[in-house]
Structures are given as C-alpha cells and as structure tokens.
C-alpha cells in the first residue's frame, strides 16, 4: 500500500511540475487574518455537582498539590460565564511562471488547554489561553491537475469535502462553540474535523463536470515535529507507536497516536438544477490501529481497524439551505477505535438555514449511537481480546444527540452578532440493574443533559 | 483491492486533467473544522491583511471598481479628477488608453500677456499618490512674440495635489453609494 501511495504521489508531483503555458509569475504575498469572538453563555447541565467524592485539591501557593493529596470534597457550578477565543492565520501565496500556485497556511490558536489555574504565579500550570498551532501545511496547485497539500491539515473525510453539515448560522449550532461552556463528558460531538489535523499528504482533484475528489495518507495520528515520546524509549505517546501494553484501556482520541496508515477519501458533485444549488458527496476513512502488546512482548490486535463512511446532500435555493446525511462505521463517538464486538457507529445529521441580507437563521441536529465508554472498559474482555458476556454494569452502547436553533446578524463585513440555543444529551443504559455512572460526580446517573444559550460577537478579519 | 486502488490513483488525476469542463478548485471551496470557514474566514482566501508582497486581489478589485468595467486603461478616479481639474482650460487631446490629457494654450482673463498649457499623465490602474504627473508650460507675450518662460516646480505639484484631492473625493462619493 505504501508503495502505491508513494508512486502515486511521485506521479502526481511530476505531472504538476511539468512545463505548462507561460503565465505571469507572482511574488509570494504574506497575509495575516483570523478571528476573535466573545460570548456570554448561560449553561444548565446535570451530573456535574459532586458531593463528598475524591477530587483534586487546590494547589498551594508554590503550585504543588497540597500534601493531603486527593481527598473527599464537593463543588458546585453556576450558570453564567463569558468565553473568548481567537485564532491568527498566516497565509503565504505565490504563483510560478508556469501557472502553478503555491503557498503555506499556518493557523495559531489560543485554546490549547481546557483546564486552568488562574494565577500567573503558579508557573507549573498552563493557562487556558496558551498558544498552539492548529493547522500548518504547504500546498502546490495546478488548475488542471489539482492540488497537493502536505502538513497538519484536515483530510478529505475529516473536514475538507464533507457535504450536508449545515453550520452557516450562529456558531455552527450543534456543531459549534457551545462546547466551550460544557463540562465533560457531555461535550464532544462527532463532526467533520474531529478526526484531527494529523500530518498527512492530501491530493485534491480539479473539478470536472461538477465532480471533484480527494484522498489523503497519514502515517499515524500525530501532528507537529518530534517523536512525541515522553520517555527515552518507545511508549504510548510516541508518534510511531504501533503496539502498546494495555491498549484497550486507553481512550484513543484526537491528536494521540491510535491510528496509523490512515487513508481518507472523498468524492462530491456540485452543480445546479433548475436554479437549485445542489451538492452530494460521499467520503470515508480507513486505517490500521495501534495493537496491544503484553509485558512479555506478545502482540495482538484487540481494537478494530477504524473504518468510517459518510454520505450527505445539500440544496440551496433563494437563501434557503437544507442538508443532511448519514455516517456509519466501526468507531465509537469522536472516531475513537472500538473493541471487537462493540456497537458500531450509526449517526444521522441534518440542518436548515435561511439567509436574507445580513440575517441568517438556522437549526441543525445530530443523533447517533456509538459503542460509548465500552471502548476502554477492560473488565469485560476475554484474554484474546473478544467481548465477554455482560456480567458487570457494562453499558449497552451510547446514544448521543443534540439540536440547536440560532441566528447571525452581520453588522459589517466579518462582524457578526450571534444568538444560539443548543441542547445536548447522552445516555448509556446499563445491561443490568445497576445504573451506569458517567462520572464520580453523579453515581447512578446514566443520562447527562446540557443546555446552553449563548450570545455574543465574532469578528473575522 | 490493491489493483483497483492503483488503477484509480493513476487514472483519476489524468482523467481530471483532460476535458473542457475542468476547472481548478479554489482553496476557499474546501471546508475545515466543522465547516467553520464561512463564519471564521468570511473573506475567503483573500481575507486578512497583506503584510508582505503586493496585494494583487486588492489591486484588481480597486481597478475593477475604478474603471475596469468602463473600458478605461487607467484609474478612472484619477482620469476623471484630472479632467475636472484641467477643465478650465480648453482640451486639445485626451487619450484614455495612454492616460494622457493635453490642453490647448489658455490665457487667464486677468493676465492676457501670459498663457499656459498643461500635459497630464495618468499612470496605471491604481489610485496612488504617484499615479499622476502634471507638467505645466508657460509663455509670456513679449512685444507680440510668445516666448517660453519657466514654471516653478511647485505649480506642477499643486496641480497634482488638486487632482489627487479630487480623485479622493470622487472615490469617497462612489464608496458611499
């Protein structure tokens, strides 16, 4: 497979670099853009008020956790909060004498840490606003042969070419920024881009007869430079890890090595029929998964090789946009690899919006079934990695859904006023009489719910 | 599976390269994290401020706004501003493609023994302060004979400033529409 991909990349590269009609060369330009947003959010959420459970204690003035360590305690959260975020994007664009365009994109984000300690004096702790690189890649493109991107970037399946996700209102509704206000686990949706910006080579075709396609290859799930290893030897976090002890007990997730030899593909058609703008698309992802290795060195695969597909369609007419689709595969929510025998992912999504001048209103939803936290519950697996019968309070899989209504008013080019309401729920019904507990904060609660009303301003520049 | 992938990988780029119905897909036709590009990068690939290099898109935009559509080869604001500024003199020739405006001799009513002529060059499509050059010629009547007489450089600059001020005025008027 690697040989094929390398060969294909070389062939496409050679074709791109072949001499073409002479065009005016353009010296590269460097642009700085980005966005800033500030919201007020009113949040209602259950199962987040622990009473007399073991929890981390406040660090002392020297930044260290107090000597008493983790002791029983309680905490309560209010409803109102502000949330700010920004990104700065740097774009480099140039054009060669033979008509090829080239450039690079570097996006800097400032939300690298979800948790925080507020005082600057406690230097051992990161602040929430730490800078971080979101995406960075270089591209070279020909109008007739397509484009190659190389770097940390979404793939054709994971964001670039998805169809049917209507998110052009508010902050994106059920796929939007409401997560900034919600405490885990009732937080993440399984949406394009959640697959991650792992370093990859992407080929994106030109459009012919309304059709274009793309595919990508990533060596593993890591991004950025360096090996990722936290030790001086191979371990869980290493980019190139393909076998790690007790792998089924780790929630394999975004930006951590879990997949390797990842392939993504996408095909979409865009055009108009009788004045109605239409788009249909299909895409998918396949990869190998990090395997389990025993302390004595025996390697076996107990997670499934992730395999996910998505189809979607979208129509636009007179300011109305309607779209939707279906996603299925063998991963859990957030594209986390699941264990053999686990429930497979099955998820619907859809939305509609209406745009009239500066005003856009819309609504969207998703509803899915996933393996849930099953994926890293080690208590119910046989020695060979297959599922044992449900004898403990093992969940039967997870249901997760969200819906949203919202509006955007464009006050000036790039300057939007936003209001939005989102409701998200998830549940993991137990296989026996003992209710599944999502967290220590709420024993016996197998259904978590959150509602967020948010309003604010966003400036894209 | 492998032969199929191999065939597909080899054939699709070649297929894409032929045919009249092929066009390059622009960078802002691709989505990103949860389709956030339309919200967070509403200017598309020309968003942001150019901090290095020449902003071709902006130049093209301004040239189109300033007269690309009207068939002028030079900046329309500067062209009209020059015509306005020199309108008190009789026009000898005006070439909108070359960007030259040449007036005929003009004797001010209060000083009939001297006369002026002006040549203006509008340079390029951009509305820039160095996009206009004005050269004023002066002759004085010495016993029935018109004799060339020097004009101070400040006169030329003053004309250029008047043209630029008028161009700015025209541009702000059209921007308000």
């Amino acid at each position: 497979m690697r040989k094929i991909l390398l060969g294909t990349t070389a062939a496409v590269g050679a074709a791109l670099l072949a001499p073409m009609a002479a065009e005016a060369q353009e010296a590269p330009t460097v642009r700085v853009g980005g966005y800033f947003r500030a919201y007020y959010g009113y949040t209602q959420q259950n199962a987040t008020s622990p009473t007399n459970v073991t929890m981390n204690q406040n660090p002392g003035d020297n930044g260290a956790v107090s000597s008493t360590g983790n002791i029983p305690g309680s905490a309560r959260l209010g409803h109102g909060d502000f949330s700010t975020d920004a990104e700065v994007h740097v774009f480099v664009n140039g054009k060669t004498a033979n008509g090829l365009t080239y450039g690079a994109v570097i996006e800097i984000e400032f939300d690298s840490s979800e948790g925080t300690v507020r005082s600057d004096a406690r230097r051992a702790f990161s602040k929430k606003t730490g800078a971080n690189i979101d995406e960075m890649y270089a591209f070279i493109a020909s109008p007739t042969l397509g484009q190659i991107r190389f770097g940390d970037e979404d793939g054709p399946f994971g964001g670039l070419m998805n169809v049917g996700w209507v998110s052009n209102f508010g902050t994106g509704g059920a796929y939007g920024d409401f997560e900034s206000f919600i405490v885990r686990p009732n937080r993440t949706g399984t949406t394009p881009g959640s697959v991650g910006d792992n370093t990859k080579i992407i080929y994106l075709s030109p459009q012919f007869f309304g059709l274009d396609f793309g595919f990508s290859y990533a060596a593993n799930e890591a991004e950025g430079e360096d090996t990722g290893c936290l030790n001086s030897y191979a371990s869980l976090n290493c980019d190139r890890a393909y076998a790690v002890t007790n792998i089924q007990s780790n929630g394999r997730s975004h930006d951590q090595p879990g997949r390797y030899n990842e392939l993504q593909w996408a095909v979409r058609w865009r055009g108009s029929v009788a004045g109605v703008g239409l788009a249909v698309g299909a895409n998918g992802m396949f990869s190998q998964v990090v395997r389990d290795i025993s302390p004595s060195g025996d390697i076996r695969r107990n997670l499934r090789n992730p395999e996910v597909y998505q189809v979607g369609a979208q129509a636009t007419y007179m300011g109305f946009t309607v779209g939707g689709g279906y996603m299925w595969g063998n991963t859990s929510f957030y594209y986390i690899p699941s264990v053999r025998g686990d429930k497979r992912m099955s998820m619907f999504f859809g939305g509609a919006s209406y745009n009239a001048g500066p005003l856009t209103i819309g609504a969207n939803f998703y509803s899915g079934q996933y393996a849930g936290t099953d994926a890293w519950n080690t208590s119910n697996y046989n020695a060979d990695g297959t599922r044992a019968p449900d004898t403990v309070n093992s969940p039967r899989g997870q249901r997760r859904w969200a819906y949203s209504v919202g509006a955007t008013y464009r006050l000036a080019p790039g300057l939007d006023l936003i209001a939005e309401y989102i409701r998200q729920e998830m549940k993991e019904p137990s296989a026996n009489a003992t209710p599944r507990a999502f967290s220590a904060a709420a024993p016996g609660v197998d259904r978590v719910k959150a509602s967020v009303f948010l309003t604010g301003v966003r400036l894209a520049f | 599976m492998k032969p199929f992938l191999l065939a597909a990988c080899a054939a699709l780029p070649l297929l894409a390269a032929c045919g009249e119905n092929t066009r390059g897909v622009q960078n802002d036709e691709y989505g990103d994290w949860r389709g956030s590009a339309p919200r967070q990068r509403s200017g598309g690939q020309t968003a942001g401020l150019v901090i290095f290099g020449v902003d071709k898109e902006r130049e093209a935009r301004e040239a189109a706004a300033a007269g690309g559509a009207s068939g002028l080869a030079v900046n329309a604001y500067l062209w009209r501003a020059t015509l306005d500024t020199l309108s008190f003199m009789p026009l000898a020739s005006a070439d909108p493609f070359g960007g030259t405006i040449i007036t005929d001799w003009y004797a001010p009513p209060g000083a009939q023994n001297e006369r002026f002529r002006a040549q203006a060059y509008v340079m390029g499509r951009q509305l820039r302060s160095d996009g206009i050059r004005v050269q004023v010629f002066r002759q004085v009547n010495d016993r029935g004979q018109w004799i060339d007489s020097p004009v101070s450089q400040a006169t030329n600059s003053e004309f250029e400033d008047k043209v630029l001020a008028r161009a700015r005025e025209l541009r702000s008027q059209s921007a308000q529409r």
Side-chain angles (χ1 to χ4, degrees):
Chain A
M1 177 54 79
R2 253 184 218 175
K3 281 180 189 166
I4 295 171
L5 281 160
L6 289 174
T8 312
T9 309
V12 172
L16 279 174
L17 296 171
M20 279 178 265
E23 289 190 39
Q25 185 170 350
E26 286 176 17
T29 56
V30 180
R31 273 173 197 283
V32 174
Y35 70 87
F36 170 81
R37 52 88 160 166
Y39 304 142
Y40 165 77
Y42 184 87
T43 308
Q44 287 185 316
Q45 185 175 8
N46 76 336
T48 56
S49 303
T51 299
N52 198 26
V53 302
T54 303
M55 61 172 66
N56 291 332
Q57 299 304 296
N58 284 328
D61 284 340
N62 61 359
V65 172
S66 68
S67 57
T68 51
N70 294 339
I71 58 168
S74 302
R76 298 289 183 269
L77 301 178
H79 295 296
D81 196 7
F82 289 124
S83 168
T84 53
D85 193 17
E87 285 193 18
V88 174
H89 303 162
V90 179
F91 307 96
V92 183
N93 284 294
K95 194 175 183 181
T96 65
N98 60 4
L100 294 178
T101 51
Y102 64 92
V105 176
I106 299 169
E107 300 186 358
I108 307 163
E109 61 183 5
F110 303 95
D111 55 357
S112 62
S113 177
E114 195 175 307
T116 188
V117 170
R118 285 172 199 84
S119 170
D120 284 330
R122 287 158 189 159
R123 295 182 187 89
F125 291 84
S126 59
K127 296 199 77 177
K128 274 201 304 187
T129 46
N132 183 39
I133 293 293
D134 184 5
E135 280 152 6
M136 54 176 174
Y137 61 91
F139 68 89
I140 181 164
S142 149
T144 52
L145 292 168
Q147 176 176 155
I148 289 175
R149 292 182 180 183
F150 191 7
D152 300 356
E153 162 68 324
D154 300 311
F157 167 81
L160 287 184
M161 296 175 71
N162 306 78
V163 177
W165 300 83
V166 178
S167 61
N168 61 339
F169 64 91
T171 73
Y175 329 130
D177 294 333
F178 73 99
E179 293 177 350
S180 303
F181 296 98
I182 292 184
V183 180
R184 286 180 193 265
N186 188 12
R187 180 179 161 103
T188 48
T190 308
T191 51
S194 310
V195 185
D197 304 331
N198 48 345
T199 312
K200 50 175 81 79
I201 294 180
I202 307 164
Y203 171 73
L204 301 165
S205 82
Q207 192 182 39
F208 52 105
F209 295 102
L211 200 73
D212 66 332
F213 61 88
F215 49 84
S216 71
Y217 169 76
N220 51 57
E221 213 174 323
E223 58 184 25
E225 67 147 343
D226 277 334
T227 63
C229 298
L230 294 178
N231 311 99
S232 301
Y233 44 81
S235 57
L236 168 70
N237 296 84
C238 295
D239 293 0
R240 286 181 283 123
Y242 72 89
V244 177
T245 298
N246 210 14
I247 194 65
Q248 75 271 42
S249 68
N250 291 286
R252 315 305 314 173
S253 67
H254 181 47
D255 292 344
Q256 279 196 353
R259 302 187 300 269
Y260 66 96
N261 286 335
E262 174 202 285
L263 294 173
Q264 295 186 23
W265 60 270
V267 182
R268 64 180 175 177
W269 176 86
R270 291 171 295 158
S272 66
V273 176
V276 180
L278 292 175
V280 291
N283 41 37
M285 177 182 74
F286 171 80
S287 82
Q288 291 179 279
V289 72
V290 174
R291 283 167 281 182
D292 186 53
I293 180 170
S294 71
S296 59
D298 298 326
I299 295 178
R300 66 181 184 186
R301 181 168 63 83
N302 50 12
L303 296 175
R304 295 187 284 209
N305 285 331
E307 199 175 327
V308 196
Y309 304 94
Q310 198 181 110
V311 290
Q314 194 165 314
T316 306
Y317 181 69
M318 301 277 281
F320 287 97
T321 300
V322 181
Y326 179 60
M327 179 156 64
W328 72 102
N330 65 9
T331 58
S332 185
F333 65 91
Y334 220 66
Y335 309 105
I336 297 169
S338 58
V339 181
R340 280 187 282 166
D342 273 346
K343 184 186 274 295
R344 294 171 67 89
M345 173 165 68
S346 170
M347 173 175 156
F348 289 94
F349 55 90
S353 71
Y354 176 66
N355 171 261
L359 182 70
T360 305
I361 54 172
N364 60 13
F365 81 98
Y366 75 84
S367 176
Q369 296 187 27
Y370 320 89
T373 47
D374 245 1
W376 57 84
N377 184 350
T378 58
S379 58
N380 290 327
Y381 301 103
N382 298 318
D384 63 356
T386 56
R387 282 280 296 274
D390 284 329
T391 53
V392 202
N393 59 338
S394 175
R396 285 170 166 170
Q398 182 185 102
R399 273 214 65 200
R400 187 185 289 228
W401 68 98
Y403 60 86
S404 166
V405 291
T408 305
Y409 184 80
R410 180 146 293 179
L411 207 59
L415 180 64
D416 293 340
L417 302 180
I418 287 156
E420 194 173 70
Y421 170 80
I422 304 97
R423 170 78 168 180
Q424 174 156 299
E425 292 188 24
M426 55 190 269
K427 63 176 181 179
E428 287 195 352
S430 174
N432 58 27
T434 310
R436 161 90 179 103
F438 272 110
S439 71
V445 175
D446 64 357
R447 181 169 179 157
V448 289
K449 311 163 191 178
S451 302
V452 179
F453 170 76
L454 67 86
T455 182
V457 64
R458 180 181 57 229
L459 175 64
F461 54 90
Chain B
M1 186 63 177
K2 276 187 181 175
F4 169 75
L5 270 174
L6 184 64
C9 290
L12 288 174
L14 297 176
L15 184 66
C18 52
E20 292 175 0
N21 288 294
T22 303
R23 69 171 188 92
V25 181
Q26 300 302 303
N27 278 348
D28 52 9
E29 292 177 58
Y30 296 108
D32 63 353
W33 166 260
R34 298 180 180 179
S36 58
R39 303 188 303 275
Q40 294 169 351
R41 200 181 296 162
S42 51
Q45 55 190 350
T46 59
L49 178 73
V50 169
I51 57 166
F52 178 81
V54 178
D55 192 345
K56 295 277 182 190
E57 287 85 4
R58 184 173 171 183
E59 283 188 352
R61 265 198 319 272
E62 290 190 345
S70 64
L72 289 176
V74 294
N75 185 275
Y77 296 125
L78 283 176
W79 178 255
R80 285 174 207 148
T82 311
L83 285 173
D84 282 3
T85 309
L86 299 178
S87 64
F88 68 95
M89 300 163 93
L91 201 64
S93 84
D95 173 10
F97 297 101
T100 54
I101 294 171
I102 303 170
T103 71
D104 211 340
W105 288 108
Y106 167 76
Q112 288 295 318
N113 64 340
E114 64 175 348
R115 62 180 187 177
F116 298 89
R117 186 174 194 178
Q119 290 183 2
Y121 306 96
V122 181
M123 290 175 285
R125 284 180 170 274
Q126 290 79 48
L127 178 55
R128 295 157 56 121
S129 60
D130 58 353
I132 177 73
R133 283 277 177 279
V134 177
Q135 182 72 47
V136 178
F137 301 96
R138 176 171 178 257
Q139 289 185 336
V140 294
N141 193 340
D142 185 11
R143 287 164 288 182
Q145 197 80 351
W146 289 106
I147 298 166
D148 288 342
S149 168
V151 177
S152 75
Q153 189 56 39
T155 312
N156 296 332
S157 303
E158 277 170 23
F159 263 107
E160 286 165 9
D161 289 347
K162 278 192 188 311
V163 170
L164 290 170
R166 177 68 182 143
R168 200 176 303 128
E169 210 174 282
L170 289 169
R171 187 173 187 273
S172 70
Q173 282 169 3
S174 73
Q176 284 162 8
R177 280 201 294 271

